Amino acid sequence: MTGELSPIDKAKFVAAKRAADMVEDGMRVGLGTGSTAAWLVRCLGDMVRKEGLKMRGVPTSTRTAQLAREVGIEIITLDEARWLDITIDGADEFDGDLNLIKGGGGALLQEKIVATASDQMVVIADVGKEVSRLGAFPLPVEVIPFGWQTTQALIEETLISMDVLGRTATLRMNGDTPFITDEGNHILDLHLQRIGNARQVALVLNQIPGVVENGLFIDICDTVVLGHGDGRVEIRDINQGTVEHDRLDFVESDNLFTDLAD
Ligand code: 5RP
């Protein structure tokens, strides 16, 4: 089965599988959104069913909640959990300080709330997500629908004084209609190309009326688990300053590969 996976999917899978091993009995786990996080949810479901892992998950989107239920993970709300032991999620970009751009899947708001309410956030990614400077991936910003065009204009005006290369914002679409987040909001994608001071951009964007949250995750991620297509995995811990190397074997009979969704 794994022979059918592309190298990128293999990289995402090994990163997710290695991160799943960080989950211990009794943990409350934030479950990210996206294709890499979907691998994680499948791996955790497998551990619940086959190894009797006892964990409860707080999903960061309706998509993830649905998948988690399908694979047998007990779901609780963030309010029920109050605080989480670990959140494991994908990212669109990460830099050397483990600052992130997230929101490619439109779930950045719940993702940021859940990650911030966790003892540790672990990002799972393929090597293509690593950048020397954030910004090539368009920065998602969640805005309320009321007056979104005014909010867009305010954002573009604000960007004039920021250290960024591009300054246009586009409304994310889902076919012919605006994309709607789980919270009923819109997403503006900011085409910044290069962000000189990500911390400043993150703070300033959230001051603009109409902006709910932006996809810059600054000082939130603790660890990146980086997967390679050949099964190698690198675990970088920003707090410990350590880099660990591992290798995972693909199990050809693994039924995790039969239900590819995302
Ligand atoms: C969703 C996200 C995802 O984590 C991000 O888009 C990465 O997705 P993928 O694992 O599919 O590459 O932020 O809002």
Side-chain angles (χ1 to χ4, degrees):
M1 273 300 176
T2 52
E4 295 166 18
L5 291 181
S6 69
I8 286 184
D9 278 328
K10 284 184 179 176
K12 290 178 178 185
F13 170 71
V14 291
K17 192 159 174 63
R18 179 62 181 78
D21 287 340
M22 297 175 176
V23 175
E24 297 169 11
D25 264 341
M27 279 189 169
R28 293 155 300 178
V29 183
L31 303 171
T33 294
S35 57
T36 322
W39 283 120
L40 169 86
V41 173
R42 290 189 191 98
C43 289
L44 288 174
D46 216 43
M47 290 162 70
V48 166
R49 294 192 311 273
K50 293 182 182 159
E51 298 162 28
L53 173 70
K54 290 179 176 40
M55 57 150 290
R56 289 172 297 164
V58 174
T60 52
S61 63
T62 49
R63 264 175 295 162
T64 297
Q66 186 184 336
L67 178 61
R69 279 191 207 97
E70 282 168 18
V71 299
I73 294 175
E74 184 187 344
I75 295 301
I76 54 172
T77 65
L78 182 59
D79 287 330
E80 285 166 336
R82 296 298 283 274
W83 194 257
L84 302 175
D85 298 285
I86 188 170
T87 283
I88 307 173
D89 199 351
D92 298 300
E93 281 185 356
F94 70 92
D95 69 11
D97 295 324
L98 304 196
N99 291 324
L100 320 170
I101 286 184
K102 283 187 53 56
L108 67 102
L109 179 56
Q110 291 188 19
E111 289 172 339
K112 197 181 265 193
I113 294 170
V114 167
T116 305
S118 304
D119 280 344
Q120 55 167 328
M121 182 197 191
V122 175
V123 158
I124 45 180
D126 59 276
V127 283
K129 303 292 181 63
E130 181 168 19
V131 296
S132 55
R133 195 167 284 276
L134 299 173
F137 190 91
L139 174 65
V141 177
E142 184 153 345
V143 299
I144 64 166
F146 176 82
W148 69 265
Q149 290 176 81
T150 301
T151 306
Q152 177 184 21
L154 280 170
I155 288 174
E156 288 177 340
E157 197 178 301
T158 303
L159 288 173
I160 291 171
S161 59
M162 303 268 98
D163 181 10
V164 292
L165 276 185
R167 294 183 170 83
T168 52
T170 52
L171 181 69
R172 190 178 298 182
M173 302 295 287
N174 183 13
D176 293 338
T177 54
F179 176 87
I180 305 288
T181 69
D182 275 349
E183 306 301 321
N185 296 315
H186 292 335
I187 299 274
L188 291 173
D189 290 305
L190 311 192
H191 303 270
L192 308 178
Q193 297 169 41
R194 178 186 175 281
I195 303 175
N197 186 339
R199 187 180 305 273
Q200 185 189 41
V201 170
L203 289 173
V204 169
L205 283 174
N206 280 13
Q207 300 306 309
I208 298 172
V211 170
V212 182
E213 190 51 85
N214 68 81
L216 283 165
F217 283 47
I218 308 294
D219 295 339
I220 295 176
C221 174
D222 301 285
T223 305
V224 166
V225 180
L226 198 54
H228 296 257
D230 60 2
R232 281 179 300 125
V233 179
E234 197 176 314
I235 304 111
R236 295 187 202 158
D237 185 317
I238 194 83
N239 304 314
Q240 312 282 340
T242 54
V243 181
E244 190 189 320
H245 296 273
D246 207 346
R247 180 181 279 278
L248 272 73
D249 291 325
F250 297 107
V251 182
E252 293 294 327
S253 62
D254 206 323
N255 64 7
L256 290 170
F257 302 104
T258 60
D259 61 346
L260 275 171
D262 260 67

